[in-house]
């Protein structure tokens, strides 16, 4: 990966929001404990394979307190979400190609 990222499940997305954490912290892909604060930049990923080769799904955004609880009661137990930036969810290989 291009940088340490927090694992998420991109099946838990509503619009540009992905569920991030039930508590105030998570461990990123480098093993560091990340404590969330409103508006802090976050980078997330989900492990993925394409044609038998690793090609993670990745996104960047900011941490936000769960804005989905009222609309989606099944997600009321989640405290923090990631509001993804305009790039949305991308394949890691696409990022590598862009950098050339």
């Amino acid at each position: 990966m291009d940088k340490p990222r927090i694992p998420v499940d991109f099946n838990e997305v509503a619009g540009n929001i992905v569920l991030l954490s039930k508590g105030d912290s998570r461990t990123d892909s480098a093993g560091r404990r990340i404590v969330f604060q409103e508006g802090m930049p976050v980078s997330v990923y989900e492990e993925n394979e394409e044609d038998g080769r690793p090609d993670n799904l990745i996104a960047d955004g900011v941490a936000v307190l769960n804005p989905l609880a009222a609309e989606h009661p099944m997600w009321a137990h989640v405290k923090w979400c990631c509001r993804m930036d305009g790039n949305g969810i991308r394949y890691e290989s696409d990022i590598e190609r862009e950098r050339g």
Side-chain angles (χ1 to χ4, degrees):
M1 276 184 279
D2 58 341
K3 58 185 164 185
R5 293 179 176 273
I6 299 163
V8 296
D9 182 347
F10 284 123
N11 291 311
E12 298 175 330
V13 171
N16 67 338
I17 303 286
V18 63
L19 304 183
L20 192 56
S21 180
K22 296 177 193 176
D24 286 325
S25 67
R26 291 283 306 270
T27 301
D28 70 14
S29 59
R32 295 180 304 173
R33 182 173 166 254
I34 306 299
V35 178
F36 301 114
Q37 296 178 354
E38 185 77 24
M40 74 180 281
V42 292
S43 298
V44 297
Y45 80 104
E46 181 177 355
E47 289 184 353
N48 184 65
E49 284 188 8
E50 292 295 320
D51 300 323
R53 298 172 58 200
D55 195 6
N56 295 327
L57 297 167
I58 61 173
D60 294 293
V62 296
V64 293
L65 287 168
N66 185 355
L68 302 172
E71 289 179 50
H72 304 279
M74 65 203 168
W75 292 341
H77 65 287
V78 174
K79 184 171 184 178
W80 291 97
C81 295
C82 171
R83 183 180 314 274
M84 294 178 281
D85 64 20
N87 292 318
I89 302 167
R90 300 179 289 165
Y91 286 100
E92 194 168 20
S93 62
D94 291 340
I95 305 303
E96 292 168 3
R97 274 193 290 278
E98 289 172 10
R99 291 186 182 144

